[in-house]
Amino acid sequence: MEAKKSLGQNFLIDNNVLNNIANVINVSEDDLVIEIGPGQGALTKYLKNKNCYLLCYEVDKDLTKYLDNLENNKTKIIYQDILKSNIKEDIKDIKYNNLFIVGNLPYYITTPIIKYLISQNLNIKEMIFMVQEEVANRFSAKPNSKDYGSITLYLQYYFNITKLFKVSKYAFNPVPKVESAIIKLEKRNKILDVNKDKYFKLINDSFNQKRKTLKNNLKDYDFNKILDVLEKYDLHENVRAEEISEEIFVNICNIL
Ligand code: SAM
């Protein structure tokens, strides 16, 4: 079958990589794993070996010939765009313990998929995804690095994010243009003490134009109040957003 570029189809063909991914997904038989984009079932087969509940969302109906024979009493394939799915409804009859979401994601919609999953309020314990390496760096970035930005802080509000390992582009067929990496997003137990919407607006505004200083990006804010917080952390007036940690952003948000 010819891979469909428009659907981000790059199928994993390296068994070592598949084994390494399967090894970092620690699930028990009473857990539920949702796989996004099973494709020809390369990873699905490894997930099935774990005997957990398994629900896969695949948008491409041409893949039924690879996937239908994987279904059994604990494994189900739903041929649907994950972004249009009603996951809560689809899993309501499954008596599972913890929810995991995994997948070698279609790269053209990595961030929309993760944002969609967050918006569904599913109580996800852990997500393990193959993403473009550059994206893995951004999601797991720390302050004072070029990869640190509003998406970093947005996702880290919900999850502890770790880049686990790199995956060569030659592990896929067809070979993509970019290198890849596996990331783990673990649910954070302690919710930040901050108004979520106000915090997300503050970080978006702060990184609005990356080359500008915080002060220039936050022209509509009372910067004197912000300066008080910056001084406490020995940061100068011309600081840029990428130098500011989550803790400091939370403090700034809480005095505004
Ligand atoms: N898991 C397979 C593997 O590792 O070989 C395939 C991974 S491939 C990078 C991404 C898969 O996501 C493709 O099978 C593609 O058809 C599917 N896909 C693309 N957009 C999707 C969407 N909106 N909803 C569900 N699946 C999607």
Side-chain angles (χ1 to χ4, degrees), residues 6 20 34 184 218 220:
S6 62
N20 291 340
I34 293 179
K184 175 160 84 168
L218 299 183
D220 298 333

Side-chain angles (χ1 to χ4, degrees), residues 163-177:
K163 178 179 168 186
L164 296 180
F165 51 88
K166 288 173 31 164
V167 177
S168 154
K169 57 187 173 189
Y170 300 105
F172 302 86
N173 180 30
V175 177
K177 288 204 178 76

